[in-house]
Amino acid sequence: HPGHDPEAPEALPFDPEAAAALLEAAGWVDRDGDGVRENEAGVPFRFSILVNDNRERMDLAELSSLAFRAVGLDASVEVIEWSALGARITSQERDFDAFIVVWVPEFRLDDRDQFHSDRSQGPVAFSGLSDPELDQMMDALAVEIDPQAARELIRAYQARMVELQPYTFFYSPDRIAARSARLRGVTMD
């Protein structure tokens, strides 16, 4: 994406030791020696990761589960059909602990449905994020037509998203784009 800032800081580096220390400080300790942390009341830190039956996402869920297990969290993987997953995560009940889906951004960045405070109860506002500074950036991006000004706004937006960490973005897959040789004046991004 033309607004991507390759110099943006990493929000949460992979650091199992720091994660374990944070869990310990928050009172999540393996009290019974079974490898799973419990809170002071003895409730184990267990949750499920929902994923549809896509091999790449199922593999990512399994790898995530292993990484959680390494710091004493019990994350099970629940594979469900795509439409059932979509219905479950977009319902008002928000009946999920965690999920993995693909997010394919468009050329024009507009994340208001996911992150704007005015839409925090919407079906795809999974994180429930509400941040006035981010709202202002998204509102400005929606009307900015100058590419250079938009690029600077996107970079500021990206930096703020890194600070807030509403999602954990795992990776950006390579995508193939094509155009007909009959089309003239098309520049692929």
Side-chain angles (χ1 to χ4, degrees):
H1 194 280
H4 173 70
D5 183 0
E7 304 300 318
E10 190 175 333
L12 294 174
F14 183 72
D15 189 342
E17 292 79 22
L22 287 169
L23 288 162
E24 192 93 15
W28 290 96
V29 179
D30 182 8
R31 299 172 196 284
D32 59 11
D34 67 351
V36 177
R37 294 173 182 274
E38 295 87 21
N39 65 11
E40 288 183 20
V43 177
F45 201 134
R46 288 196 169 97
F47 64 100
S48 63
I49 303 170
L50 299 177
V51 64
N52 70 307
D53 53 353
N54 170 283
R55 182 78 264 155
E56 187 175 357
R57 287 187 278 281
M58 291 185 323
D59 289 348
L60 184 55
E62 289 296 336
L63 288 170
S64 298
S65 177
L66 291 172
F68 286 124
R69 174 59 82 174
V71 295
L73 307 182
D74 184 15
S76 61
V77 176
E78 184 179 344
V79 180
I80 59 178
E81 186 271 329
W82 172 246
S83 62
L85 174 64
R88 192 158 162 192
I89 64 177
T90 59
S91 72
Q92 286 290 61
E93 292 77 30
R94 300 287 194 230
D95 182 26
F96 59 85
D97 298 320
F99 63 88
I100 295 175
V101 294
V102 64
W103 181 1
V104 180
E106 298 301 324
F107 183 77
R108 181 153 180 84
L109 183 64
D110 186 355
D111 293 340
R112 289 176 292 176
D113 285 340
Q114 291 91 353
F115 302 121
H116 201 287
S117 298
D118 291 347
R119 300 179 189 179
S120 65
Q121 298 304 309
V124 294
F126 307 117
S127 70
L129 180 66
S130 180
D131 183 69
E133 183 180 339
L134 201 63
D135 293 344
Q136 289 176 347
M137 290 179 205
M138 286 185 282
D139 291 341
L141 275 167
V143 297
E144 184 57 63
I145 58 173
D146 176 57
Q148 184 57 40
R151 183 174 293 115
E152 295 309 314
L153 274 170
I154 291 169
R155 288 183 174 183
Y157 173 79
Q158 181 182 351
R160 185 69 180 145
M161 288 291 280
V162 166
E163 286 177 52
L164 298 171
Q165 191 75 23
Y167 295 166
T168 296
F169 296 94
F170 287 111
Y171 64 96
S172 181
D174 290 331
R175 296 186 346 191
I176 298 174
R179 69 166 176 83
S180 169
R182 296 178 299 183
L183 294 175
R184 306 251 187 257
V186 175
T187 303
M188 303 299 280
D189 64 26

